[in-house]
Amino acid sequence: MDELFTEGAPIEDTKAPDGPLEERWDKRRFGGKLVNPANRRKLSVIVVGTGLAGGSAAATLGELGYHVKSFCYQDSPRRAHSIAAQGGINAAKNYRNDGDSIQRLFYDTIKGGDYRSRESNVYRLAQVSVEIIDQCVAQGVPFARDYGGLLDTRSFGGVQVSRTFYARGQTGQQLLLGAYQALERQVAAGTVEMFARHEMLEVIVVDGVARGIVARDMVTGEIETHTADAVVLASGGYGNVFFLSTNAKGCNVTATWRAHRKGALFANPCFTQIHPTCIPPSGDHQSKLTLMSESLRNDGRVWVPAKKGDTRRPGDIPEDERDYYLERIYPSFGNLVPRDIASRAAKNVCDEGRGVGPGGLGVYLDFADAIARLGRDAVAAKYGNLFEMYERITGEDPFDVPMRIYPAVHYTMGGLWVDYDLQSTIPGLFVIGEANFSDHGANRLGASALMQGLADGYFVLPNTISDYLAKGPFEKIGEDHEAVVEAREAVESRIEKLLSIDGDRTPDSFHRELGAVMWEYCGMERNEAGLLKAIDRIRELREEFWTRVKVPGENEELNQNLEKAGRIADFFELAELMCIDALHREESCGGHFCTASQTPDGEALRDDERFAYVAAWEYTGHAPVLHKEDLEYEYVKMTQRSYK
C-alpha cells in the first residue's frame, strides 16, 4: 500500500479562531477586514453552481454590491439538483419546547458524523441555522404549519427532537425557488450576470491565486474564459461516480476535480453516504435511482420477514412473524437511527436471505400503523406527493401495501479542503455546500445538507470572502495573459483528444462499469483485498477509456456525449483516490465501514489514536500526497457512537 501514496507535511486551519466555542464566529467576523460599499462595485466574483449554496451566495454577494458572474450547466438556475431534496431543513429553533438548542444540534451533528468533523465549523453551522428559517420565511418559502398557523417540524435520523422544518416532500424545491427569486432580483438589478448552459472545465490560476474559469457554452461549443477577483465553487457532490445514485444524471465532479488538479487539496473522498430509503433497482437498464425521503421514517416502520426465504405477500405475514429490526436493535432511536446505521442494517438482513422483492434486495417501509393511528387524510397531507411518486414508479400504492426500499448512494461528505473561511488551499478559491468537506464528518445527518448549503451561501461566505477581497484592488487579467491562454488551450486539447479517439464503446458503458466496481468494493462495506482489486480495475478501465471511447459529433454543437466523456474521465481519477483514501483509513467511521474494524455486534469501530484527522490529498499526477489535519475536541468527548 505504501507505493499507492506518500505522506506529506500536516495541514492546519490557520483561520479558525480560538476562545469559547460560542464566541468564535462573532470573533472571526469582527476580526475579518471589510470592503466598503463603493469599493465592492469595483470587485468581481465568479460563482459556479446555482443550487442552494451557489444561488444564495450569488444573490447575497450581488446584493452586497459585488459584480457577480453566476454559472450553471442547466438551462435555468432553478433546475439545480437542490430542487430534488425532499424531507426538510434542520434548525435549532426549539419551537416544540422538546429540549432542542444550538448546543444539541452541534452535538448531534458531531456525533452523527462519528467525530470526524471540526468543532468550530459545526458550532457555527448550528448557530446560523436559526437565521436561515427567518430568512426563508421572509422570502415566502411555504413551510408546513400546524393548525394554529405556527411553523411545523418533524424528526429526522440520529436525533430525539423535532427540529426539521419542511414543505411536504418538496422542501428543496421551495427553498431553491426562494434563493432563485433572490438571485433573479440581482440579475434584474444588474449586479449578477447569469450564464446558463455553461460548464466549467478549468480553473485559471495566476501566480498561485485563483483568478477565473474556463467554461464551455454547451449549446454552441464555444470555449470561453472568464476572469474575476475570486472564484466560488458550489458545484455539489460526486455521488455519480457510482453511476447509480439518487443524484441527477448531470451531477459530476469536474469543477472540483479541475481545482484539485490545480492545487486544491481534496479531503476525505471515501466518506460517501448511502441513503437507506430509496426505491430498489428494477433492472440493468436503469440509469439512476429515486430517493424516498427520510421523513417517511417518522411514521413508517421498517421490517422484513423473520424467516429466510419467506415470499408471502406482506399482508399475509402475521405480526409475530415480522422483524422490525431497527426497533429491535436500536430501541432508543428505533426507525430514526442515522443513515449509515440504517443502511448497513438493511444490507445485513438482506445478506441473511430475509430481503424482499426481486433478488431479495429490499426491506418494507410500512405505514399501516400510521394510517390506523392518524387516518388516511392526515398521512396524505404529510407524505402525499412522496406516495404518488412511489406509485408512479412501482405501480404499488403505499396506502395499500408497504413500500419496498433499499440503500443507495445519495450524498458525499468528502470534498475540497477548506479552512474556517471556506477558502481552499488555492488562495482566492472558495468552496461551499456539498462541494467542500467541512461540516459533516464521516456521516451527514438527514436535513442538514440544505442547512449547510444555505448557511454557507447566505451567511458564512459573504462574511468571510470580504476579508480576502479587502486586499484589492487586484491586477486586471486579460484574455491574452499566459495563464489564461494555457488554461484555455488545455481544455481545447482535452476536447480534441476525446473527439479523436473514435473507439467502439460509449461513455455510458464505461461509467456503468466503473460504478459497478465502486459499489462492489467501495460501497457500503470496504476491505483491503477488494479495494486493491478495485484500484487495479479502475486503472485498467481508465486506460481502456482513453483508447476505446467513442464520442460522435463535434465540439461546435450541443454534444451530450462529449459532456459525459469529460465528466467520466474525471470520475476515473476520483474513483482511484476514493479507494486509496478508504484503503489507508484502517478503521470504520460513519459511512466508511471497514470490515476489519467492527465491534462484536457488527457496529463501526473507530480508531481515534491513529485516525482522528482529516485526510487532505494533494494531486501530483501519480501517487497522491496525504496531508493530515488533526481533529481536536475540547467541548465534546469522543465516545463510541451508540443509538441503542
Side-chain angles (χ1 to χ4, degrees):
M1 188 166 72
D2 290 343
E3 66 275 10
L4 290 175
F5 69 93
T6 58
E7 188 169 338
I11 189 169
E12 185 180 354
D13 178 7
T14 57
K15 298 288 178 59
D18 53 13
L21 194 60
E22 62 275 9
E23 297 176 9
R24 290 179 184 175
W25 178 223
D26 284 340
K27 183 176 181 179
R28 179 65 191 122
R29 281 190 291 184
F30 182 72
K33 295 184 177 127
L34 301 178
V35 181
N36 81 51
N39 286 340
R40 289 178 207 152
R41 293 192 291 272
K42 304 172 187 174
L43 296 166
S44 58
V45 181
I46 285 172
V47 180
V48 180
T50 58
L52 288 181
S56 60
T60 307
L61 292 171
E63 192 164 4
L64 285 169
Y66 298 107
H67 178 66
V68 180
K69 287 185 176 182
S70 175
F71 292 81
C72 68
Y73 61 75
Q74 296 89 351
D75 58 355
S76 165
R78 67 177 182 273
R79 288 186 183 270
H81 185 58
S82 298
I83 203 169
Q86 297 172 356
I89 177 170
N90 288 329
K93 285 288 199 181
N94 195 31
Y95 284 165
R96 290 290 187 95
N97 199 27
D98 55 1
D100 201 10
S101 63
I102 289 172
Q103 178 69 24
R104 188 173 295 280
L105 175 52
F106 158 70
Y107 173 76
D108 286 344
T109 305
I110 290 280
K111 178 184 176 184
D114 218 353
Y115 305 93
R116 291 294 177 263
S117 52
R118 297 176 183 149
E119 282 189 328
S120 294
N121 289 64
V122 175
Y123 196 88
R124 174 176 66 187
L125 179 64
Q127 285 177 299
V128 169
S129 72
V130 298
E131 301 174 40
I132 296 171
I133 303 303
D134 298 339
Q135 166 88 357
C136 294
V137 169
Q139 289 176 333
V141 172
F143 285 122
R145 294 178 181 267
D146 64 18
Y147 182 76
L150 300 176
L151 292 175
D152 198 14
T153 53
R154 55 191 178 196
S155 297
F156 261 59
V159 303
Q160 293 178 307
V161 296
S162 294
R163 67 162 66 102
T164 305
F165 295 79
Y166 65 98
R168 294 185 76 192
Q170 48 185 259
T171 315
Q173 179 180 8
Q174 300 304 326
L175 291 172
L176 185 61
L177 289 174
Y180 169 72
Q181 70 185 21
L183 176 62
E184 288 301 308
R185 178 168 171 262
Q186 296 309 311
V187 171
T191 60
V192 176
E193 194 176 353
M194 191 68 233
F195 294 85
R197 303 297 286 152
H198 280 68
E199 181 169 23
M200 172 189 154
L201 296 178
E202 190 60 273
V203 60
I204 296 170
V205 178
V206 179
D207 297 328
V209 177
R211 291 302 308 270
I213 66 168
V214 180
R216 178 177 179 269
D217 183 321
M218 296 162 69
V219 178
T220 67
E222 183 181 355
I223 306 302
E224 304 173 1
T225 57
H226 297 267
T227 58
D229 299 316
V231 177
V232 179
L233 297 186
S235 51
Y238 49 89
N240 273 350
V241 69
F242 291 91
F243 186 71
L244 285 178
S245 82
T246 66
N247 289 185
K249 285 301 293 178
C251 295
N252 63 83
V253 75
T254 291
T256 48
W257 194 255
R258 296 286 107 193
H260 175 55
R261 289 176 62 108
K262 280 291 183 77
L265 300 188
F266 207 111
N268 300 335
C270 79
F271 286 171
T272 54
Q273 179 163 86
I274 314 294
H275 199 295
T277 52
C278 302
I279 299 177
S282 56
D284 292 338
H285 63 281
Q286 207 158 336
S287 61
K288 81 174 296 295
L289 298 173
T290 303
L291 173 73
M292 285 286 103
S293 169
E294 181 168 319
S295 62
L296 294 168
R297 289 196 275 146
N298 272 274
D299 292 304
R301 299 179 69 195
V302 180
W303 65 276
V304 291
K307 296 178 182 176
K308 293 181 183 179
D310 191 336
T311 57
R312 289 178 290 175
R313 289 169 52 85
D316 296 335
I317 301 175
E319 196 73 17
D320 60 355
E321 294 181 34
R322 301 179 178 187
D323 180 13
Y324 294 90
Y325 58 90
L326 291 178
E327 297 173 25
R328 171 175 56 82
I329 303 171
Y330 307 101
S332 291
F333 284 76
N335 295 297
L336 286 174
V337 292
R339 293 173 175 177
D340 57 322
I341 290 175
S343 294
R344 282 197 295 272
K347 181 182 186 300
N348 290 341
V349 295
C350 291
D351 289 349
E352 292 169 7
R354 296 193 287 144
V356 300
L361 293 178
V363 300
Y364 289 126
L365 183 60
D366 196 336
F367 294 88
D369 284 0
I371 294 168
R373 184 177 75 253
L374 303 171
R376 182 183 176 115
D377 289 347
V379 173
K382 282 185 174 182
Y383 310 118
N385 65 311
L386 298 172
F387 278 33
E388 181 183 345
M389 187 192 310
Y390 181 87
E391 185 176 9
R392 284 186 179 182
I393 292 171
T394 66
E396 298 174 354
D397 185 353
F399 283 111
D400 299 329
V401 295
M403 288 183 176
R404 285 181 294 108
I405 56 168
Y406 193 69
V409 173
H410 177 59
Y411 185 88
T412 53
M413 286 74 66
L416 292 184
W417 185 93
V418 292
D419 60 19
Y420 190 73
D421 284 0
L422 304 183
Q423 187 171 210
S424 73
T425 47
I426 300 176
L429 180 70
F430 293 78
V431 191
I432 60 176
E434 190 179 355
N436 75 30
F437 88 102
S438 67
D439 292 343
H440 305 295
N443 175 64
R444 177 177 67 75
L445 291 183
S448 287
L450 307 188
M451 174 174 63
Q452 186 210 347
L454 292 181
D456 286 356
Y458 280 136
F459 299 105
V460 180
L461 179 77
N463 281 287
T464 59
I465 198 171
S466 62
D467 186 57
Y468 175 79
L469 292 173
K471 299 171 185 173
F474 300 85
E475 176 193 354
K476 295 298 178 188
I477 303 295
E479 286 195 3
D480 58 349
H481 190 284
E482 181 184 0
V484 177
V485 173
E486 182 184 335
R488 181 193 185 102
E489 289 178 348
V491 168
E492 291 171 341
S493 171
R494 182 177 162 89
I495 289 172
E496 287 171 16
K497 169 70 173 169
L498 288 168
L499 289 168
S500 68
I501 295 168
D502 196 26
D504 58 357
R505 287 190 61 177
T506 65
D508 269 346
S509 72
F510 280 104
H511 195 183
R512 190 181 290 273
E513 192 169 349
L514 172 65
V517 171
M518 292 300 289
W519 179 250
E520 179 68 23
Y521 301 114
C522 198
M524 275 195 278
E525 287 186 357
R526 293 98 182 253
N527 61 62
E528 183 177 353
L531 289 166
L532 289 171
K533 185 175 181 180
I535 291 169
D536 287 342
R537 184 60 188 137
I538 290 165
R539 289 174 173 175
E540 291 170 3
L541 274 173
R542 185 170 69 229
E543 190 173 330
E544 188 179 340
F545 173 86
W546 285 105
T547 55
R548 290 187 60 190
V549 73
K550 183 175 184 65
V551 182
E554 53 192 36
N555 177 57
E556 289 74 24
E557 62 180 353
L558 175 65
N559 190 336
Q560 291 186 311
N561 279 295
L562 178 60
E563 295 162 22
K564 289 177 184 176
R567 295 166 186 171
I568 294 160
D570 290 331
F571 276 140
F572 275 121
E573 296 182 7
L574 166 72
E576 181 175 337
L577 183 63
M578 288 171 65
C579 291
I580 291 171
D581 187 40
L583 191 60
H584 108 278
R585 193 173 280 277
E586 297 170 344
E587 65 161 354
S588 293
C589 58
H592 169 62
F593 190 77
C594 172
T595 55
S597 181
Q598 53 185 306
T599 63
D601 54 354
E603 301 291 348
L605 182 62
R606 294 195 322 271
D607 185 346
D608 294 334
E609 287 291 319
R610 298 170 60 208
F611 295 104
Y613 60 76
V614 175
W617 297 90
E618 177 187 351
Y619 181 84
T620 64
H622 40 89
V625 178
L626 170 64
H627 301 273
K628 298 178 182 178
E629 179 199 337
D630 289 332
L631 292 168
E632 297 177 1
Y633 289 93
E634 301 174 62
Y635 294 85
V636 174
K637 182 181 179 183
M638 285 195 285
T639 59
Q640 182 65 31
R641 271 194 321 173
S642 174
Y643 291 93
K644 296 185 176 182

